[in-house]
Amino acid sequence: MMANCCGLLTSQKEPVPLKSVEVELEVRDHVATVVSTLNYENKEDKPLEAVFVFPLPGDAAVCHFSAKIGQTHIVAEVKEKQEAREEYDDALSSGQQAFLLEESEQSPDIFSLSVGSLPPGESASIRLEYVIELAVQADEGLRFCLPAVLNPRYQPQGSEGGNIQVTSVPASLVPYSLSFSARVSSPRPVSKVESNCPLDPLQYLNTEQTRATVKLAAGHKFDRDVELLIYYKDAHQPTAVVEAGQASSKPGTLMGDPVVMLSLYPEFPQAVTSSVASCGEFVFLLDRSGSMDGPMNNSDNHQTCIGSARDTLLLLLKSVPLGCYFNIYSFGSSYEHIFPKSVEYNQKTMEEALKKVDKMEADLGGTEILEPLKHIYSQPCIPNQPRQLFVFTDGEVGNTKEVINLVKHNSGSHRCFSFGIGEGASSALINGLAKEGGGHAQFITGTDRMQPKVMQSLRFALQPAVVDISVTWDLPKGVSVTALSPPITAVFQGQRSLVYAQFTGQSSEASEGCVTVKYSLAGHPSQNQLHFSLRPAEDTGLTVHRLAARTLIRSLEMEERECEEEEDGGVKKKKVVELSVQSGVSSAFTAFIAVNKGNSEAIQGPLVRRNVPTPMMMACCMSQCLPMSPGAPMLMMDCGLESYADEMDDMDISVNSGFGASWSSSDGHLPKQPPRDPLLQLVSLQKASGCWVLDPDLAAALGKTSEEVEMPKPASVNQDVWATILALTWLHGFKMDAQEEWELLAMKAVSWLRAQKASCVKECVEAGNALLGCNVQKDALGI
């Protein structure tokens, strides 16, 4: 079925015209401008059309596209998509050079670039620019990701296919190089910049350390996403940036008026953030498609995505408070659930669930996420148990927009927390699920452990939902405001909310505005205020306008999909096209088109099509799967979209994303599972109530014999109390570096101990320290 096109062009050593990629990143506070230059050269003796399909972050606003051929420089215009395609085809058929850049119909994080009629011996340089807001991570770093990896998107049965087939060749055959440099500036000092790829040292450009540059170390193979984490001192400051309108645009239009970007960081009262809800329905949805069998990262610890997800579910199930409800779904080409409907969380249901989780493998084929979501939403909500949905996926779906629409449609009944696992998870899918589901998105890549990020999201889920959110403006007379962002639907402690708005009109006297965000939290009304100057900031270009246009375009696209059935569906589409053309920002219904009308001589000869490899994390050649290096690149061909890794899983061939097939060892036996992490071993023994039991398994987890553990127990102390204090002492004594992972289950243990009104606690802690060889204070345990 696939034997005729895997790695076809490159394995036959035919030249591919992309020679190099240069990326320059400029970060101002939490907004990034990215300029990519792609250099092509046609070394063949015939004119070429090159097709280059590549990923961009799903929420990027592509705002400039130009090409330089020889000495001729042409800047692309944004036009309605069909019109742009026709213009491109017309140009090629009349022998002119043309360039077409368009966003995928199915997912806003995939673009295709067609380079038309590159004459023999000619070079072309393509410049692409986009702006993007950087997401705040759990540790307050700002995350920028340059996707190198475009994992094949699994196209569900019966859904509309795209027109791209995914194939691949080994990483060593990527015929182009990458250079990457970044400039960072902020009102606050830059404390550090980290990356999953080797960087040259950070260079500060001023003594205040508010401006710095950093470069990717030479020799990067572009075999993985380039992820930068940027840390500022005192990052959580609310800010407002007002940007002047474009002089050439009409006042009253989005581009002609000033636009403000507000970054708000709501602060909750301490009493609310320290308390943890004791109710909720927790639904965990786990991807078990074939690609989840791939490694979490390129290191040697052999942890697979599915293995890490199993460990994470263990921690989650131990941390859920008694009195809650839960269920676990898993999906691939089909889906399964552990219980017919959510059940009350207790020792019996927790044990039953964990037995089944332990057996979960990446063996369910493709990535059909829509059907399990529909089943979850069809279940009636449980009174006084707010539904919290946790979705774990490597994000390889072809029907991204349909999935996000479904979550939005059900956003009133639940919060959705999403986790993108491994390289190449679709940012459009992961961010879209959380944004429309009023939750929080996390990306787990490189050497990240999944557990700390997931436990942070569980803390958010256990915070009471913020309701009745409103944003009010106090502006000088004569100035009116138009909101460009959808209403804020979710607010979490310490998490940024971004608001864009357009100011129309002039004020003669006052030049200050004020915005107030009001909300209700656990029955308490609360508000945060920000005063700001209406004077436009200098040197922002049109960055804020473009991001605001992108936000509005995305909202309108979603509304258009919702009312496609109705008569006014076309009205929204028309608005999107108008706004996209006016702002010069890409959308699902427009494309960038550039035609070189200056070359008087028509290009002679038949046009040969070449598809350019793009790095990805899957490898397959001809009809066999062979072990290959991580980050094997991918070739795009013109046929129906399919993910062969997930397909092969349907055919009982085990594909290991990034390392080819899963092979058994030379004696024919599968490699032994690595021994379980001591922390997870101890956690697995905790009861649903929060306590531990004094038994040989606990002794083994603590590295002791049963006698050694039983001997020092104070005579009057109950065995379970002694076991629980020992476990807590061990966690505090040896695992403080992983406290985020066990903090919630430790709180449950402390609540259980308090309920026992245990005596001799101090004596037990001292005896526990002596036994385990640590020095933990009783107060540190919180008992």
Side-chain angles (χ1 to χ4, degrees), residues 81 102-112 164 398 401 588:
K81 194 175 264 186
E102 54 183 316
E103 185 182 301
S104 151
E105 304 280 338
Q106 282 296 331
S107 187
D109 59 350
I110 302 175
F111 281 75
S112 69
I164 300 158
K401 291 179 180 177

Side-chain angles (χ1 to χ4, degrees), residues 332-548:
S333 300
S334 57
Y335 69 91
E336 299 173 358
H337 39 75
I338 288 183
F339 304 106
K341 60 179 186 179
S342 291
V343 294
E344 190 171 348
Y345 173 80
N346 56 37
Q347 185 62 27
K348 181 173 172 289
T349 55
M350 181 191 80
E351 277 181 0
E352 189 180 336
L354 282 173
K355 269 183 197 150
K356 290 184 178 170
V357 166
D358 212 36
K359 294 190 176 80
M360 284 183 177
E361 297 294 344
D363 54 5
L364 288 184
T367 314
E368 298 257 15
I369 192 171
L370 203 60
E371 291 310 310
L373 280 173
K374 283 179 182 171
H375 190 271
I376 290 165
Y377 295 140
S378 73
Q379 302 288 316
C381 288
I382 301 164
N384 305 316
Q385 301 282 354
R387 181 173 286 170
Q388 318 278 358
L389 174 63
F390 282 62
V391 180
F392 300 86
T393 177
D394 56 10
E396 299 170 18
V397 303
N399 55 342
T400 301
K401 291 179 180 177
E402 214 181 332
V403 171
I404 291 169
N405 256 8
L406 180 66
V407 172
K408 182 180 183 182
H409 188 68
N410 290 279
S411 59
S413 65
H414 79 306
R415 288 194 284 190
C416 181
F417 297 84
S418 56
F419 305 90
I421 301 168
E423 299 279 355
S426 163
S427 60
L429 177 71
I430 305 306
N431 288 328
L433 288 173
K435 188 176 178 189
E436 298 306 335
H440 184 64
Q442 304 262 24
F443 288 87
I444 298 138
T445 58
T447 54
D448 289 356
R449 272 169 63 78
M450 197 185 296
Q451 288 80 1
K453 291 193 170 185
V454 174
M455 298 315 285
Q456 189 215 23
S457 290
L458 180 59
R459 279 186 207 91
F460 285 158
L462 290 167
Q463 281 181 16
V466 171
V467 294
D468 303 329
I469 306 169
S470 67
V471 177
T472 51
W473 300 81
D474 183 11
L475 298 169
K477 201 173 172 204
V479 179
S480 64
V481 64
T482 307
L484 302 172
S485 308
I488 301 173
T489 55
V491 174
F492 295 106
Q493 168 68 19
Q495 287 297 301
R496 184 185 69 205
S497 297
L498 280 176
V499 176
Y500 293 95
Q502 174 182 342
F503 294 144
T504 306
Q506 294 279 311
S507 160
S508 48
E509 66 284 346
S511 64
E512 191 178 79
C514 174
V515 66
T516 307
V517 181
K518 293 183 180 174
Y519 49 88
S520 178
L521 183 68
H524 302 288
S526 195
Q527 69 172 47
N528 295 115
Q529 251 185 6
L530 176 63
H531 291 265
F532 60 93
S533 166
L534 288 174
R535 287 194 190 92
E538 289 175 23
D539 300 334
T540 55
L542 288 168
T543 306
V544 173
H545 279 75
R546 283 164 176 159
L547 287 170

